Amino acid sequence: MNESIVLDISRETIWAAVESSAPLLIISLIVGLIISIFQTVTSIQEQTITFVPKFLAIMLVLVLAGGWIMNNVVELFESLMQNIPQYIR
């Protein structure tokens, strides 16, 4: 296994992690921003108020995009497993 293979595996793995986590992080950011604006407008400064809406939004995204996220991870795993003979040369 040479350096280019290690770099390719690292790049693919990092990209799969970013791609898989992006929908959850983006939704969490958007919901947090909306709730933060609501708290600012209403002068409610309770820090725990963002937990439930973020949790529900993330669960909804997992239900809607969970299959796509799982397919990305499975594709990466299958690619790594199929290329093991090339990696150990």
Side-chain angles (χ1 to χ4, degrees):
M1 181 182 295
N2 58 21
E3 297 164 358
S4 66
I5 292 176
V6 172
L7 289 174
D8 286 341
I9 293 171
S10 299
R11 181 184 47 79
E12 288 177 23
T13 305
I14 290 170
W15 180 248
V18 167
E19 195 175 40
S20 297
S21 64
L24 301 173
L25 293 174
I26 290 170
I27 291 299
S28 179
L29 176 73
I30 291 170
V31 170
L33 182 63
I34 290 170
I35 292 181
S36 176
I37 291 170
F38 174 75
Q39 286 180 322
T40 302
V41 169
T42 60
S43 298
I44 298 173
Q45 296 302 322
E46 179 63 36
Q47 296 298 322
T48 59
I49 209 164
T50 62
F51 177 75
V52 173
K54 278 186 182 180
F55 180 76
L56 293 175
I58 288 174
M59 289 300 118
L60 180 65
V61 170
L62 277 175
V63 167
L64 296 175
W68 176 77
I69 293 170
M70 183 59 82
N71 283 340
N72 284 345
V73 173
V74 168
E75 284 176 12
L76 174 67
F77 181 75
E78 288 175 346
S79 171
L80 291 173
M81 291 301 115
Q82 289 174 353
N83 292 326
I84 283 180
Q86 294 172 357
Y87 299 153
I88 59 176
R89 284 189 208 164

